[in-house]
């Protein structure tokens, strides 16, 4: 297990109790209700007006934080109620996030196609001194336009479906029941008997331990070499099914988020100082998720029936590019995670 690093935002042992958890859940629930009201006022258009899009993001942020609190500190709450509420929050957060994910994935893939065709600057990975061997632009350009059009059709359709699904969800009896439940939570947190004075420390520590154990299981030695360059130099074949290796990294991303959210609980409505190490690690894992999902989208598009060879070639190069980005993100995470926090003088 990796050594625990000093955390400037940690509270003193025994300082935070179940009362702090209750205050945290009330505050996050109030944020959820405020975002819901704004979302309704701006017309429920998840991708229309800027205000509505921001309200949808705020709904997802508050839903994630309430859900994380219910998961990490489940032992201090009524367990059945906590499990049911967490499942519903996961449903609404995932549903609202699909449209944004489709739009972001399309933007990412189209930008990458332009870059690989030689019409835009190299990716940020190059600036970070991570080697990238770009394919020749000429053969790619032949199919790049058709590949872009194919991706636009597929992901725009997926985005429209996600938008409709989100609108249906927000108008459903299921969502209204969840909103009622959150409204009650904003004033009355169902703590377990005796939980008001219980120490939050062991629960937060358990969340951190789950994270460090999951990180310890990752192939960080391989990730320490950008794009698995060392493995290739040693004559090893690249992973024939790279997507199958993404799951543990996605799990670490979720556990890191739970750990970061657990650190917020003792501070009530205030936001604690962000640990730069955790922020950098989280950013790298977000990059990893985005690139991995974009690679899947490119691979799925390449399997479209009766597309021209040049289009399939462009999509293949695009898929390889996004897998390079996955490796770059793993390298960035390894660098961030193994960086020691320097104590303030």
């Amino acid at each position: 297990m990796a050594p625990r690093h000093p955390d400037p935002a940690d509270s003193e042992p025994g300082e935070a109790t179940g009362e702090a958890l209750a205050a945290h859940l009330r505050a996050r629930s109030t944020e959820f209700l405020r975002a819901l009201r704004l979302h309704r006022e701006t017309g429920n258009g998840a991708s229309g007006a800027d205000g509505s899009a921001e309200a949808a993001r705020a709904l997802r942020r508050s839903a994630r934080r309430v859900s994380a609190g219910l998961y990490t500190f489940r032992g201090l709450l009524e367990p059945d109620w906590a499990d049911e509420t967490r499942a519903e929050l996961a449903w609404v957060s995932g549903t609202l996030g699909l449209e944004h994910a489709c739009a972001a994935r399309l933007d990412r893939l189209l930008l990458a196609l332009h870059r690989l065709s030689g019409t835009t600057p190299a990716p940020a990975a190059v600036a970070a001194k991570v080697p990238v061997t770009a394919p020749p632009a000429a053969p790619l350009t032949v199919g790049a336009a058709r590949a872009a059009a194919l991706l636009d059709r597929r992901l725009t359709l997926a985005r429209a479906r996600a938008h409709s699904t989100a609108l249906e969800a927000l108008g459903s009896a299921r969502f209204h029941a969840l909103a009622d439940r959150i409204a009650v939570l904003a004033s009355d947190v169902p703590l377990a008997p005796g939980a008001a004075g219980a120490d939050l420390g062991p629960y937060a520590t358990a969340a951190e331990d789950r994270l460090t154990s999951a990180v310890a299981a990752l192939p960080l030695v391989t990730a320490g070499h950008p794009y698995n360059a060392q493995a290739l130099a040693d004559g090893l074949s690249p992973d024939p099914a790279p997507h199958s290796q993404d799951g543990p990294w996605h799990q670490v991303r979720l556990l890191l988020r739970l750990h970061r959210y657990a650190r917020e609980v003792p501070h009530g409505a205030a936001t604690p100082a962000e640990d730069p190490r955790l922020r950098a690690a989280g950013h790298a894992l977000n990059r990893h998720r985005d690139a991995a999902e974009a690679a899947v989208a490119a691979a799925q598009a390449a399997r479209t029936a009766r597309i021209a060879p040049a289009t399939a070639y462009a999509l293949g190069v695009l898929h390889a590019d996004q897998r390079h980005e996955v490796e770059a993100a793993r390298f960035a995470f390894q660098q961030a995670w193994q960086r020691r926090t320097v104590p303030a003088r």
Side-chain angles (χ1 to χ4, degrees):
M1 183 177 296
R4 196 167 292 150
H5 298 268
D7 189 341
D10 282 346
S11 55
E12 292 299 323
E15 178 184 343
T17 66
E19 289 291 355
L21 172 62
H24 173 80
L25 291 175
R26 286 194 296 268
R28 302 292 82 78
S29 297
T30 300
E31 289 176 357
F32 181 95
L33 297 173
R34 186 181 302 119
L36 177 58
R37 182 172 60 253
L38 178 60
H39 196 270
R40 288 169 174 167
E41 290 173 353
T42 51
N44 287 337
S47 64
D50 291 341
S52 183
E54 176 55 36
R57 286 191 290 269
L59 269 174
R60 291 167 52 212
R61 282 195 302 268
S62 55
R64 288 196 302 265
R65 280 172 164 79
V66 173
S67 178
L70 299 180
Y71 177 81
T72 301
F73 304 100
R74 179 179 181 271
L76 298 177
L77 300 160
E78 294 181 4
D80 292 341
W81 176 90
D83 292 343
E84 292 172 5
T85 304
R86 188 164 56 87
E88 294 303 279
L89 287 168
W91 162 69
V92 74
S93 179
T95 301
L96 291 177
L98 285 176
E99 182 181 0
H100 171 76
C102 290
R105 199 168 303 143
L106 178 59
D107 289 344
R108 181 185 185 91
L109 288 169
L110 294 183
L111 180 62
L113 272 176
H114 286 300
R115 169 173 50 77
L116 291 167
S117 300
T119 57
T120 60
V126 176
K129 300 182 180 179
V130 178
V132 176
T133 302
L140 178 65
T141 306
V142 175
R146 290 183 178 179
L150 176 60
L151 289 168
D152 184 73
R153 287 196 302 272
R154 290 174 61 91
L155 289 172
T156 298
L157 177 60
R159 181 181 180 180
R161 288 173 175 168
H163 180 74
S164 297
T165 300
L167 291 181
E168 290 175 4
L170 291 173
S172 67
R174 180 180 179 182
F175 179 79
H176 287 298
L178 173 62
D180 291 342
R181 184 178 290 229
I182 297 301
V184 173
L185 181 61
S187 59
D188 184 17
V189 177
L191 293 175
D199 185 8
L200 299 184
Y203 297 93
T205 298
E208 184 178 4
D209 289 344
R210 285 191 292 270
L211 169 63
T212 53
S213 295
V215 172
L218 293 176
L220 287 185
V221 173
T222 303
H225 302 283
Y227 302 109
N228 285 334
Q230 187 61 49
L232 296 175
D234 291 341
L236 302 178
S237 299
D239 184 0
H243 304 288
S244 65
Q245 304 301 316
D246 294 338
W249 294 85
H250 294 330
Q251 180 67 13
V252 167
R253 175 179 170 273
L254 295 177
L255 291 173
L256 176 60
R257 190 166 70 189
L258 288 172
H259 171 51
R260 292 174 63 192
Y261 289 170
R263 292 176 60 251
E264 296 177 356
V265 174
H267 300 268
T271 301
E274 178 70 280
D275 182 344
R277 173 173 164 269
L278 295 181
R279 182 173 62 246
H283 178 70
L285 291 174
N286 286 339
R287 284 177 52 203
H288 178 277
R289 185 269 318 271
D290 293 344
E293 292 182 349
V296 169
Q300 290 173 340
R303 290 193 290 269
T304 302
R306 297 186 299 278
I307 60 175
T311 306
Y313 172 77
L315 290 168
V317 172
L318 180 60
H319 173 268
D321 173 75
Q322 292 303 298
R323 292 309 305 179
H324 279 307
E325 290 288 329
V326 166
E327 294 295 335
R330 293 180 182 181
F331 175 62
F333 173 80
Q334 183 255 14
Q335 296 291 294
W337 185 257
Q338 295 183 351
R339 183 185 307 140
R340 290 186 174 275
T341 303
V342 179
R345 295 183 178 179

